[in-house]
Amino acid sequence: MALTIKDVEHVAKLARLGLSEEEKTTLVDQLSKIFGYMEVLNKIDTKGVLPTSHALPMKNVFRQDKAIPFNNTDEILANGPEVEKRMFKVPKILD
Amino acid sequence: MSKYESVIGLEIHAQLLTESKIFCSCSTTFGNEPNRNICPVCTGQPGVLPVLNKKVVEFAIKTALALHCQIAPYSIFARKQYFYPDLPKDFQISQYELPLATNGYVEINVNGNTRCIRIHRIHLEEDAGKLVHAGSDRIQGSTYSLVDFNRTGVPLMEIVSEPDMATPEEARAYVQEIAALLKSLGVCDAKMEEGSLRCDGNVSIRPVGDKNLGTKTEVKNVNSTKALKDALDAEIVRQIKAVDAGERIIQETRHFNENTGQTISLRSKEEAHDYRYFPEPDLVPLEVSKEWIDEIKQGIGELPAEKIKRYVEQFGIKTEDVETILESPGMAEFFEGAIRLYGKPQIVANWLTGEISAYLNAKKLEIKNSKLKISTLVGMLALIDKGTISGKIAKEVIVKMLDTGKSAEEIVKESGATQISDEGELIKAIQEVIKNNPKPVQDYKDGKKASITFLVGQVMKVTKGRAKPDLVNKLLEKELS
C-alpha cells in the first residue's frame, strides 16, 4: 500500500512533528516501504498463533504497595522551562 | 419527552485506596505541596521502568467479582497517546485490548423497580496530573496554566457500563449503587465532590421504540450524583430541541455548568481522538490464576445487595427498612446485635428507622457515636413488652436515652411515666371522662359502638398516655354497660 503526503501530514500532526516539504516526500517513500514489509508479514498464515504483546517470556512482575518518597523532586522541577509555586507553567490550553 | 426516549451509559473512574501509585512508589496522599509526590517514573524521565502495584490488581479483581464480571486470565496494558499538559509522558498507561474484566452486571432500585445494568468492562489505568488555571477560575479565559503532577500515576479503575439506563434517575441510582459497593469493598472512598470517584455520561436520544442508537454526546464535569442527573436532564432537553429544530447532533464532549444548569461544547486544541494504542512494552502481561481469584473472593465480606437479600429473607423485614439501616454507618451491626439479644427484627427495625434515625439525622450523628447502646434499646423494648410503658411514652423515652445515655428504667423512674396498672386509678379517670363527654356516651349507648374510640382517646389524654389502651377499652365497656 502506498502512502500519500496527506497520511504523513496526519501522522506528523498527531506526533507534533513539524516537517518540511522535502522531509514529507522522503517520508512518504520510506514509510511506504515499511508498510510494504508489513504486507509481506500479513501474508504469513498465523492461524492458531497467539498474538505477542511482549518480547520476553515473563509475566506478573509486581511491587508491594508501599510508599517510598523520592527525595529529589526539586531536580525534576528544574527541568521545567518555567516554574511557578512549585508547578510547571504551560501556555494557555484553549483558544 | 413524549416523542423521544433517552439512552445513557456511564464511565466511572474510581481512585483506588492504595498507599502508593500504580507504577511507582510515590505516595498517593492528597493535599501535599504541589509536585511533592513525584519521581522519575511518574513524570516520565528517560530510562525509567514502571512496575505494577499488586494491590491495585487485587482491588480490581475484588470489584470485578462483586460486579459479577468475567476476570480475564490474561490481560495487558497499553499506551494511549495524546498530548495534554497534565500528561507528562504524552501517553497514559491504560488497558485497551484485553482489559482485566468484562461482562458483569449490577442491580439498581429506582422507584421500587429493580433494574439490571450490565457492565461492559473494568480496566486499570493511571490518573493524570492536576491543572491550575491562571487568570481565570476556569480553563476558559485563562492566560496560562500550572501543572501539579502529585495525582499523576494514582491508580484508577474505570468501570464502563452498557447503555442500559433509560433515565437520568437510573443513572444516578447506578452511580450511588457502584459508590456504595466500592466503599463497602474498601477499594475506593467514592467521594464525588473530592474527585475520588468521577463520572462521565454518554447520552443520546431516539424516537420512542426505535432500536438504533442516536448520536451520543459525552457529558463531563459533574461532581455529585445530583449534578450528574441535572446534567443529563439538561443535555437530553438540549438534544430534543436541536433535533426538533432539524439540527444534527454532533458527537462531542460537553461540560456541565452547575451555575447555569446547561451543558456547553468544549473545543480544545486537541486533535480528533486518534490515540494510536499499542501494547505497553515496559510492562509484562498480567496473568490471574483461579487460585488468586479464589483467595481474593474469600476476603470479600457480605456485599450490600447480599445483605439486603439476607435481611429480607432471614428476618422478614421490609426492603426499604433494610436500605435505611444500611445507609447509616454502623447501624447494621447495631441491628444484628439487638436481634441477637431481643429477637423481633421488624420491631427493632421500626425503632431504628423511625425515632432513632430521625434523632441521628437531626444531630448528624452515627449510631456508634451516639449514647444509645444495644443493651439499653433492648431494655426499653422489654419495658414496652411488660406493659410498664406504652409505645407512645417510649417514643419520648428513646429521645431521652439518646440525649443522656441513661437506661429506660432510670428515665421512666425519674419521670414517673410508667403505665398505670392500678385498675382503681384507671376507673377514676374513666368515670371522669364519661361525666365530661355525655354526647359520645349517649351515642355509644344508642348503638354507635365506634364512639368508644373517642372515649379511649380521652382517657389516654387524661392519663397522659400512661394507660394501656386495650385495658382502658375493656374497663370502659364495663363502665358503660
Side-chain angles (χ1 to χ4, degrees):
Chain A
M1 187 186 100
L3 290 179
T4 62
I5 287 265
K6 257 184 131 170
D7 295 322
V8 170
E9 283 173 344
H10 175 65
V11 174
K13 192 172 181 191
L14 288 174
R16 302 295 193 269
L17 290 174
L19 300 175
S20 68
E21 292 308 312
E22 203 187 327
E23 283 170 321
K24 284 180 199 169
T25 318
T26 314
L27 281 166
V28 166
D29 184 43
Q30 290 181 347
L31 288 174
S32 292
K33 278 181 185 149
I34 295 170
F35 255 67
Y37 181 58
M38 295 299 153
E39 277 168 8
V40 173
L41 290 178
N42 266 342
K43 285 183 189 138
I44 300 167
D45 181 10
T46 53
K47 228 200 259 98
V49 179
L50 281 177
T52 306
S53 61
H54 204 269
L56 299 170
M58 287 174 75
K59 59 176 186 190
N60 293 5
V61 176
F62 297 119
R63 334 180 333 265
Q64 295 307 311
D65 181 34
K66 191 167 180 293
I68 305 163
F70 176 71
N71 291 325
N72 207 353
T73 56
D74 287 351
E75 202 180 335
I76 294 176
L77 279 168
N79 284 314
E82 281 187 79
V83 173
E84 190 177 302
K85 300 176 197 155
R86 277 190 66 84
M87 290 183 276
F88 296 96
K89 192 170 170 179
V90 297
K92 80 177 195 185
I93 296 162
L94 291 188
D95 285 323
Chain B
M1 202 59 221
S2 52
K3 276 194 307 186
Y4 299 101
E5 59 186 14
S6 51
V7 179
I8 302 165
L10 295 178
E11 287 170 20
I12 290 178
H13 286 86
Q15 273 184 357
L16 297 175
L17 284 174
T18 53
E19 185 183 311
S20 63
K21 292 185 178 180
I22 181 169
F23 300 122
C24 65
S25 299
C26 288
S27 165
T28 54
T29 311
F30 180 76
N32 274 5
E33 190 184 17
N35 290 308
R36 191 51 77 187
N37 305 344
I38 61 171
C39 76
V41 177
C42 56
T43 55
Q45 306 297 323
V48 297
L49 274 180
V51 186
L52 183 58
N53 183 336
K54 193 174 186 188
K55 198 162 196 179
V56 168
V57 181
E58 287 169 352
F59 279 180
I61 292 174
K62 233 181 191 183
T63 310
L65 286 169
L67 290 173
H68 316 97
C69 288
Q70 288 161 7
I71 295 161
Y74 180 91
S75 69
I76 60 169
F77 287 87
R79 290 186 180 182
K80 176 182 181 176
Q81 302 178 93
Y82 63 95
F83 292 86
Y84 207 70
D86 62 8
L87 194 68
K89 299 194 296 291
D90 293 337
F91 62 84
Q92 177 196 30
I93 303 178
S94 178
Q95 293 192 290
Y96 184 57
E97 293 169 306
L98 308 175
L100 185 64
T102 52
N103 288 327
Y105 68 87
V106 65
E107 281 180 354
I108 60 167
N109 286 298
V110 183
N111 305 326
N113 298 319
T114 302
R115 296 259 292 119
C116 182
I117 308 298
R118 290 170 301 156
I119 306 293
H120 177 62
R121 61 187 271 158
I122 300 177
H123 72 248
L124 290 168
E125 60 189 29
E126 56 182 344
D127 207 345
K130 198 181 105 189
L131 291 169
V132 180
H133 304 296
S136 169
D137 55 345
R138 288 183 296 153
I139 188 166
Q140 291 99 335
S142 65
T143 46
Y144 64 92
S145 300
L146 297 170
V147 195
D148 173 11
F149 289 130
N150 279 351
R151 204 179 64 184
T152 303
V154 166
L156 286 184
M157 177 171 62
E158 181 168 338
I159 304 171
V160 184
S161 84
E162 295 288 352
D164 282 354
M165 285 151 276
T167 62
E169 283 83 16
E170 288 185 4
R172 185 182 190 182
Y174 167 82
V175 176
Q176 285 169 338
E177 186 64 39
I178 296 283
L181 188 88
L182 297 178
K183 271 197 266 186
S184 85
L185 290 170
V187 302
C188 172
D189 62 13
K191 290 180 183 160
M192 279 191 86
E193 65 287 359
E194 287 177 17
S196 61
L197 190 106
R198 282 165 251 157
C199 185
D200 303 331
N202 288 301
V203 58
S204 62
I205 58 162
R206 64 183 172 193
V208 171
D210 203 330
K211 287 276 164 278
N212 297 320
L213 290 170
T215 304
K216 66 179 177 185
T217 56
E218 189 179 14
V219 180
K220 283 184 186 272
N221 196 36
V222 292
N223 56 12
S224 67
T225 58
K226 183 183 178 297
L228 172 71
K229 183 187 164 291
D230 292 347
L232 290 170
D233 276 328
E235 179 57 14
I236 290 165
V237 168
R238 185 196 72 85
Q239 289 189 9
I240 289 173
K241 268 192 195 153
V243 170
D244 276 346
E247 288 169 37
R248 211 167 49 86
I249 303 295
I250 307 158
Q251 184 161 349
E252 62 179 349
T253 300
R254 300 182 66 88
H255 269 222
F256 180 60
N257 183 330
E258 215 161 337
N259 298 324
T260 62
Q262 306 287 316
T263 66
I264 49 160
S265 177
L266 248 203
R267 284 176 219 291
S268 73
K269 282 180 182 172
E270 203 184 325
E271 181 75 4
H273 290 183
D274 185 347
Y275 294 125
R276 294 153 297 141
Y277 284 98
F278 72 86
E280 166 59 86
D282 288 344
L283 287 164
V284 298
L286 177 60
E287 283 189 25
V288 180
S289 66
K290 206 186 154 296
E291 290 72 31
W292 195 12
I293 295 173
D294 287 342
E295 195 186 309
I296 291 168
K297 205 182 268 175
Q298 277 165 11
I300 300 179
E302 191 177 33
L303 298 170
E306 292 167 358
K307 204 167 228 168
I308 291 175
K309 209 167 152 238
R310 177 166 72 84
Y311 278 15
V312 170
E313 281 171 7
Q314 185 181 338
F315 300 133
I317 65 172
K318 287 179 269 174
T319 310
E320 59 261 38
D321 286 347
V322 184
E323 284 168 358
T324 308
I325 288 170
L326 293 186
E327 268 167 31
S328 182
M331 198 173 268
E333 290 74 16
F334 197 98
F335 173 72
E336 292 197 25
I339 289 175
R340 270 195 294 277
L341 279 179
Y342 176 72
K344 303 186 194 172
Q346 187 62 56
I347 289 177
V348 175
N350 289 348
W351 281 97
L352 285 175
T353 59
E355 269 64 31
I356 297 170
S357 284
Y359 181 95
L360 297 174
N361 292 341
K363 305 256 167 170
K364 292 195 165 58
L365 265 178
E366 290 180 13
I367 196 156
K368 59 176 183 288
N369 304 325
S370 80
K371 290 183 173 154
L372 187 69
K373 299 284 163 274
I374 292 172
S375 56
T376 55
L377 174 65
V378 169
M380 186 201 76
L381 295 174
L383 286 188
I384 300 175
D385 290 347
K386 274 193 284 182
T388 313
I389 54 171
S390 66
K392 200 177 155 215
I393 293 282
K395 288 183 182 180
E396 293 162 23
V397 171
I398 193 86
V399 173
K400 287 181 191 150
M401 290 165 69
L402 283 156
D403 273 336
T404 63
K406 288 181 183 168
S407 74
E409 283 96 337
E410 281 176 275
I411 288 162
V412 166
K413 212 179 276 169
E414 281 169 15
S415 65
T418 49
Q419 275 189 350
I420 303 165
S421 45
D422 177 7
E423 288 196 11
E425 202 184 330
L426 268 186
I427 286 167
K428 232 187 270 166
I430 285 167
Q431 283 166 346
E432 192 191 322
V433 166
I434 289 173
K435 203 177 86 192
N436 293 336
N437 296 280
K439 176 87 178 41
V441 169
Q442 196 53 49
D443 286 349
Y444 178 82
K445 287 186 172 162
D446 290 348
K448 262 184 78 183
K449 299 291 174 203
S451 66
I452 199 161
T453 320
F454 172 79
L455 293 168
V456 171
Q458 291 305 301
V459 176
M460 296 305 290
K461 212 167 158 188
V462 168
T463 58
K464 296 191 176 69
R466 291 166 56 223
K468 225 177 164 179
D470 49 344
L471 182 64
V472 171
N473 206 64
K474 213 176 80 191
L475 293 172
L476 249 175
E477 276 174 0
K478 222 155 96 187
E479 287 293 312
L480 290 171
S481 63

